Amino acid sequence: MTGRAGARGGASGLPRVSGELSRPVFFVGFMGAGKTSVARRLARTCGVASVDMDTYLERREGKRVREIFAESGEEGFRDVESDVLRELAGKEPLLVSCGGGVVKRPENRAVLREAGFVVHLNVTADEAKSRISDTSTRPLFQDLDTARRTAEERGPLYDEVADAVVDTAGKGVAAIAREVQRILEKEGILCLQRR
């Protein structure tokens, strides 16, 4: 988890900011959309906490995602993922970057919709591939046609749960984070106190 680093301010030139979330914010979207990078950036600049769901899951289980897939198959992994999603939804509000496939299960989509505010970071498979420097850890990107099909299949599921959709095409992390911050402030999800 990223803590309240943004609250320090100081040498980085960032204003001293203390933020508070009124409910959890879940980032969904295809791999390579920038979910984790944007959540971390927002956590730093707004003084709130963030967590990457896959990293949290790996620490909790004491195994890498790919090991869980190898031992238990996709269904076994999705069972653990669903449990982790419910756990994170019940904690003090955080910025949560979700795994790309979290929306595949109807019960997960229900948790996302009911427990928090959902931001869909929209990206095409082609753009996502251009952002990922090492595709060896991303099995879907061994075959771009498969990645494209998967992105198309999941697109409507991301949109189904989304309270806001941010198109990430041609934008850097800082620009996307600023756009998300504006949305969260406007919706009353993120309250900032500048000191």
Side-chain angles (χ1 to χ4, degrees):
M1 272 189 230
T2 304
R4 297 184 171 273
R8 287 195 309 263
S12 66
L14 294 172
R16 290 171 62 101
V17 174
S18 173
E20 196 173 293
L21 296 169
S22 62
R23 53 201 298 214
V25 177
F26 298 103
F27 290 90
V28 299
F30 197 58
M31 63 182 77
K35 302 180 295 286
T36 301
S37 299
V38 170
R40 283 183 183 148
R41 179 72 176 238
L42 269 174
R44 280 196 311 272
T45 57
C46 299
V48 295
S50 77
V51 63
D52 176 88
M53 202 166 134
D54 284 346
T55 303
Y56 183 90
L57 184 154
E58 288 180 340
R59 286 188 183 140
R60 194 187 90 160
E61 298 300 305
K63 297 176 185 173
R64 308 286 295 176
V65 167
R66 67 174 171 267
E67 292 171 321
I68 299 169
F69 259 91
E71 291 170 12
S72 309
E74 183 174 359
E75 278 306 300
F77 169 75
R78 297 292 173 205
D79 289 341
V80 176
E81 182 181 59
S82 295
D83 189 47
V84 166
L85 177 64
R86 285 190 299 273
E87 187 177 318
L88 291 173
K91 287 184 176 294
E92 187 178 323
L94 299 158
L95 301 172
V96 181
S97 48
C98 297
V102 74
V103 294
K104 290 178 71 172
R105 285 192 167 177
E107 62 266 33
N108 291 351
R109 296 196 299 276
V111 169
L112 290 165
R113 278 194 308 268
E114 292 161 16
F117 187 87
V118 183
V119 179
H120 173 198
L121 297 184
N122 193 26
V123 68
T124 64
D126 292 83
E127 177 132 356
K129 184 172 182 6
S130 74
R131 295 177 182 179
I132 298 168
S133 55
D134 178 12
T135 57
S136 69
T137 61
R138 311 281 187 135
L140 271 180
F141 283 106
Q142 304 314 306
D143 174 14
L144 190 55
D145 286 336
T146 301
R148 287 179 182 135
R149 274 195 306 277
T150 304
E152 281 177 32
E153 287 164 11
R154 291 180 184 172
L157 301 178
Y158 296 136
D159 288 336
E160 179 189 319
V161 298
D163 293 297
V165 179
V166 175
D167 185 13
T168 66
K171 298 175 188 167
V173 170
I176 299 166
R178 280 194 300 274
E179 194 171 334
V180 172
Q181 181 179 335
R182 282 194 296 271
I183 292 166
L184 296 179
E185 287 189 78
K186 181 174 175 258
E187 295 292 331
I189 305 296
L190 174 65
C191 302
L192 293 181
Q193 293 179 327
R194 289 169 175 86
R195 296 197 293 264

